[in-house]
Amino acid sequence: IALATVYRVLTQFEAAGLVVKHHFDEAHSVYELDHGEHHDHIVCLQCGHVTEFVNEDIETLQTQVADEHGFKIIEHSLYIYGDCTKKPCEHKK
């Protein structure tokens, strides 16, 4: 299968709501299955590992901030970038 075919199909899957496209860095896109459940991401700048998480306090604060500025959140994503503190890093290649 040609790489162009893979990307064309991923774009169609994204349009159909089957996958979600993320841009964790400027050079690459990452696709994940859309299970219909919201979650956020922490991205390690050293090794590139991505950790998914859900935090209701963050969700509540985002809604409060949107309200304070006269917005109703329709959709959002949160990416936190940092360096993992695990030494040695188990994800580093």
Side-chain angles (χ1 to χ4, degrees), residues 20-37:
V20 177
K21 183 178 185 179
H22 297 285
H23 303 279
F24 296 127
D25 62 40
E26 293 179 11
H28 301 93
S29 297
V30 176
Y31 292 86
E32 68 178 343
L33 289 175
D34 186 352
H35 295 290
E37 298 174 359

